[in-house]
């Protein structure tokens, strides 16, 4: 572990920030480019908007990164040679924010009091809407840049209101003024998700910058001046919020019904023939490309589509080629098309061409038939469509399957959803609408059902106790002298339970909620137990993500433990009343003489682009490079498990945590997560923890909300993204989610955590819970009586979780009380404890 005692900028910091700056333009894209304003030559510029000086590098909560410094738009433009002539406006806006924040905090406290909810818990993740104000926009020059920002975070969803999803009246007024008053104007979106741009669509130049981590302002300056060419594509459809079928009932405190079924995002819009504002897969750059005639090779195992791509513009750039498939629908309804593969070109100079190949297996597009409990490919023609967005595709070939195929026989999982079948109005006519499927020039390849193999899943039986009372050490396990089975067989039930619960020291464990439970790395989210150190079992350190490594910037070593210098409660203090502040001050331990004398150590990490931005790159090679960057910082600061990537489906733009997530499409989400994981896990002793498994698609009452979803949608949309990541990268760990699925907590669901994850997918890593996911402590702190009870630690073990995090005495006691107890809600056996402890030990063996 690297202990840095000098505050000076380290060589690795500069190297990593430069790497992010170089790659991040691939995450950005133009939504509109309507004139010759761009690129810009440095000169005088009027800079306005919420993100001009208060630029947002990423979202709040566990997804934040404690950086030394990050570059704002104002700073980045000035460093690039622009003279900002609107300083008076920026200064006045700063004061507006200060005043508005004070009013917002008091309003949150008032609402919390009226609801009988703890204000700190109620305010977690809540974003202050953009305030209304009157500030003169009187800077005189030819160029204006307006930066519109939105922040969201863990714990709260977004809102269909002015200043959040919708623009405020002030923003609309000022953006339109800039568009009409200044000779040159660029609207820059420093956002982590969709905003409704309908009122300002007259603006000719709109850049979706996103939130790109530490060098965000420098990246914008590079794009504006043409030093970099943005090459991203939207990984989520942008449309008026009322057009998403997922909007109805979103964020219900008790039960959220996934009425739209498999018709998520572009699957819905294209099937229903509804034109979105900006479609999935869409994005403009400084140049244009032409896609040539495709050549196809297809058999029952693999389909390959090769197309030439030519840069027909005037500057170098990259293009994303997307391959969609329209499936036949007989018994099972199907979306108009679904993404099968994507590839990004290398950087092509003007007039330069490159042939790219997209591959997939038809069996991966099998639909799930709930009546048969099987994945099936229906007889008929599978039309292949090539293009550069979901709205711009042409048929390039057909695959004709001569009979139905059962690809995989499974068992029914997560019963209990009683949802009316949803088919968009034009769904059954979707293929007929496209005349290209009748084009005689399109080749059709014959595929034969008898050449496909049917996979039959064997589901695990209840484990049997390992009987072996010989004692041994963990070092003997690592050296191969004894097996992990022999070691766990020698442990007591108490020792097994300690291995299956995170490190804790007291009866509350509340320190870990603020990222301070780890003892080895200050600010790390948690750690596995140290109670078996006498047997040679070391602990694993876990740090939050997914936009970088989240640990304390400064810390001291006191009595062998790392202690952060910064106040970990600083972000919560504004929502505390005077009594709570006094109580906190009284409870705070006084620093010892040794602590006061201890030297300060520094651990400045790099913020990379948020998850949504990474997905917009559609570049798995680039994402692997950024994963490698994260792995380097994990390795040098002593972090074994990164609690990332976060890869839930962006079911609705209203989800407050979408900025952490990748896409509305499981292929994009799964492949980007796999690339990040492969980059991290190149480093010895470093692993990822993909999360949140599964259906963490809203933050409202996230610990006790019940996601009601059909088994088909569950399998085809929400589980598939995890399956792709696991098959392509074998992440070290999986984190189960807080929410319920069809009436049972996901972390207590054996169907999800064992039958799917391990039996169907063959996953061999460890599974941990999210923090305080059981026992209801955090939910209870909200002061609300929930319809659905909290999950249990024993239920997590029974389901197939291996670690209950972050660890509490109550978890330990409840788990032991359920061993061989038929009266327990989730009776568990010593054999089940052995299984979970063994998997934790195997993970420790790999990472330490």
């Amino acid at each position: 572990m690297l202990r840095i005692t000098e505050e000076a900028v380290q060589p690795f910091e500069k190297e990593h920030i430069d790497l992010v700056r170089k790659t991040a333009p691939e995450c950005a894209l133009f939504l509109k480019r309507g004139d010759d304003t761009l690129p810009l030559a440095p000169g005088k510029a009027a800079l306005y908007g919420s993100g001009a000086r208060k630029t947002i590098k990423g979202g709040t909560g566990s997804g934040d990164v404690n950086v030394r410094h990050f570059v704002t738009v104002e700073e980045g433009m000035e460093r690039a040679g622009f003279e900002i002539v609107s300083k008076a406006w920026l200064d006045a806006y700063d004061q507006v924010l200060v005043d508005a924040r004070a009013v917002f905090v008091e309003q949150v406290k008032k609402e919390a009091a009226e609801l009988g909810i703890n204000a700190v818990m109620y305010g977690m993740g809540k974003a202050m809407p953009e305030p209304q104000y009157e500030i003169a926009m009187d800077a005189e020059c030819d160029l204006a840049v307006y930066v519109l920002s939105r922040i969201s975070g863990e714990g709260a969803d977004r809102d269909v209101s002015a200043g959040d999803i919708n623009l405020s009246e002030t923003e609309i007024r000022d953006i339109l003024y800039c568009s009409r008053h200044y000779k040159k104007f660029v609207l820059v979106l420093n956002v982590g998700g969709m905003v409704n741009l309908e009122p300002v669509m007259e603006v000719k130049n709109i850049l979706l910058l996103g939130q790109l981590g530490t060098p965000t302002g420098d990246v914008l300056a590079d794009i504006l001046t043409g030093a970099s060419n943005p090459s991203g594509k939207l990984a989520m459809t942008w449309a008026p919020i009322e057009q998403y079928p997922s909007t109805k009932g979103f964020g219900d405190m008790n039960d959220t019904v996934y009425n739209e079924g498999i018709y998520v995002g572009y699957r819905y819009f294209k099937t229903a023939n509804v034109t979105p504002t900006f479609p999935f897969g869409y994005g403009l750059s400084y140049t244009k490309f032409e896609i040539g005639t495709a050549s196809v090779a297809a058999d029952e195992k693999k389909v390959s589509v090769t197309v030439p791509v030519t840069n027909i513009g005037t500057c170098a750039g990259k293009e994303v080629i997307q391959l969609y498939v329209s499936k036949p629908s007989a018994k099972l309804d199907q979306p108009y098309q679904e993404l099968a593969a994507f590839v990004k070109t290398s950087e092509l100079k003007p007039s330069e061409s490159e042939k790219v190949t997209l591959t997939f297996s038809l069996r991966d597009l099998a639909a799930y038939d709930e009546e048969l409990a099987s994945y099936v490919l229906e007889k008929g023609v599978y039309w292949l469509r090539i293009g550069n967005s979901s709205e711009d595709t042409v048929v390039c070939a057909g695959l004709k399957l001569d009979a139905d195929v059962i690809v995989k026989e499974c068992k029914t999982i997560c019963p209990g959803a009683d949802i009316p079948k949803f088919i968009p109005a034009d769904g059954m006519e979707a293929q007929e609408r496209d005349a290209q499927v009748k084009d005689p020039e399109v080749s059709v390849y014959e595929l034969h059902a008898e050449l496909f193999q049917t996979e039959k899943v064997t589901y695990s039986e209840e484990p049997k106790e390992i009987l072996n009372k010989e004692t041994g050490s963990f070092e003997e396990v690592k050296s191969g002298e004894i097996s992990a089975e022999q070691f766990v067989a020698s442990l007591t039930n108490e020792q097994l339970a300690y291995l299956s619960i995170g490190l804790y020291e007291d009866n509350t464990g509340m320190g870990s909620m603020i990222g301070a439970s780890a003892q080895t790395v200050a600010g790390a989210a948690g750690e596995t137990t140290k109670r078996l150190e006498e047997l040679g079992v070391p602990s694993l350190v876990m740090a939050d993500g997914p936009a970088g490594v989240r640990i304390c910037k400064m810390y001291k070593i006191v009595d062998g433990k790392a202690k952060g210098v910064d106040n970990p409660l600083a972000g919560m203090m504004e929502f505390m009343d005077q009594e709570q502040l006094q109580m906190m001050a009284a409870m705070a331990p006084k620093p010892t003489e040794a602590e006061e004398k201890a030297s300060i150590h520094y651990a400045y990490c790099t913020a990379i682009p948020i998850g949504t931005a990474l997905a917009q790159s559609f570049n798995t090679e680039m994402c692997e490079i950024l994963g490698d960057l994260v792995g380097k910082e994990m390795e040098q600061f002593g972090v074994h498990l990164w609690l990332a990537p976060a890869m839930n489906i962006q079911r609705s733009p209203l989800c407050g945590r979408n900025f952490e997530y990748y896409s509305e499409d499981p292929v994009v989400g799964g492949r980007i997560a796999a690339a990040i994981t492969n980059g991290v896990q190149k480093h010895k002793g470093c692993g990822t923890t993909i999360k949140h498994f599964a259906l963490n698609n809203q933050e409202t009452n996230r610990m006790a909300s019940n996601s009601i979803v059909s088994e088909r949608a569950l399998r085809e949309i929400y589980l598939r993204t995890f399956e792709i990541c696991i098959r392509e990268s074998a992440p070290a760990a999986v984190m189960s989610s807080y929410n319920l699925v069809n009436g049972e907590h996901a972390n207590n669901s054996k169907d999800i955590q064992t039958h799917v994850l391990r039996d169907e997918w063959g996953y061999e890593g460890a599974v941990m819970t999210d923090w305080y996911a059981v026992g209801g402590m955090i939910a209870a702190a909200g002061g609300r009586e929930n319809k659905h009870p909290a999950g249990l630690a024993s239920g997590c073990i029974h389901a197939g979780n291996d670690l209950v995090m972050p660890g509490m005495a109550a978890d330990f006691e409840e788990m032991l009380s359920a061993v061989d107890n038929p009266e327990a809600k989730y009776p568990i056996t010593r054999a089940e404890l052995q299984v979970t402890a063994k998997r934790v030990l195997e993970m420790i063996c790999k990472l330490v």
Side-chain angles (χ1 to χ4, degrees), residues 376-395:
V376 299
L377 292 170
E378 290 193 311
K379 173 184 175 180
V381 180
Y382 292 75
W383 297 107
L384 308 185
R385 302 174 183 271
I386 203 80
N388 61 6
S389 82
S390 59
E391 286 286 321
D392 187 12
T393 64
V394 295
V395 171

Side-chain angles (χ1 to χ4, degrees), residues 299-303 327 338 360-368 375-377 382 399 401 405-409 447 449 451-456 720 723 727:
D299 60 27
E300 290 74 14
K301 292 184 178 179
K302 186 172 77 171
V303 180
K327 301 190 291 191
E338 61 183 80
F360 71 98
S361 172
L362 190 61
R363 65 184 298 119
D364 289 338
L365 296 185
Y368 187 75
Y375 288 89
V376 299
L377 292 170
Y382 292 75
L399 310 174
L401 183 61
V405 173
I406 294 180
V407 171
K408 181 190 286 190
E409 295 179 354
L447 299 181
L451 296 180
F452 286 87
Q453 291 185 335
T454 300
E455 178 185 350
K456 297 182 179 180
R720 190 174 176 221
E723 180 182 14
R727 292 196 185 282

Side-chain angles (χ1 to χ4, degrees), residues 530-670:
K530 292 189 174 186
R531 287 181 168 86
L532 272 68
E533 284 184 327
E534 71 276 8
L535 298 178
V537 180
S539 64
L540 295 179
V541 176
M542 309 165 191
D544 274 321
V549 181
R550 180 177 168 83
I551 54 178
C552 285
K553 296 184 290 187
M554 296 178 285
Y555 65 95
K556 294 182 175 183
I557 305 296
V558 183
D559 297 329
K561 298 177 182 178
K563 184 174 182 180
V565 173
D566 299 335
N567 178 8
L569 282 172
M572 302 180 185
M573 291 177 65
E574 64 178 348
F575 294 112
M576 295 181 181
D577 58 30
Q578 195 61 37
E579 184 179 345
Q580 289 171 319
L581 289 170
Q582 291 173 351
M583 185 182 302
M584 186 181 73
M587 291 173 60
K590 303 298 181 185
T592 63
E593 184 177 347
E595 181 178 343
E596 290 181 336
K597 291 182 177 179
S599 300
I600 294 178
H601 296 75
Y602 303 91
Y604 292 111
C605 294
T606 308
I608 65 174
I610 59 173
T612 298
L614 292 176
Q616 288 172 181
S617 76
F618 279 79
N619 188 335
T620 55
E621 292 181 3
M622 186 206 82
C623 289
E624 187 167 330
I625 289 171
L626 292 177
D628 177 59
L629 179 158
V630 170
K632 288 177 182 176
E633 296 189 357
M634 290 172 63
E635 193 173 5
Q636 68 184 22
F637 291 125
V639 174
H640 301 102
L641 283 172
W642 190 41
L643 303 181
M647 49 188 297
N648 291 99
I649 290 292
Q650 294 176 335
R651 173 181 175 248
S652 167
L654 292 169
C655 178
R657 214 162 177 178
N658 272 351
F659 71 95
E660 290 190 44
Y661 302 156
Y662 293 125
S663 176
E664 67 188 26
D665 182 81
V667 172
V668 175

Side-chain angles (χ1 to χ4, degrees), residues 792-795 812-830 832-833:
L792 297 173
S794 57
F812 176 78
E813 293 162 4
E814 191 277 324
M815 190 183 296
L816 284 180
S817 72
V819 177
D820 298 325
N821 178 7
E823 301 300 318
K825 181 177 180 180
Y826 291 102
I828 57 177
T829 64
R830 173 176 166 80
E832 288 177 298
L833 283 178

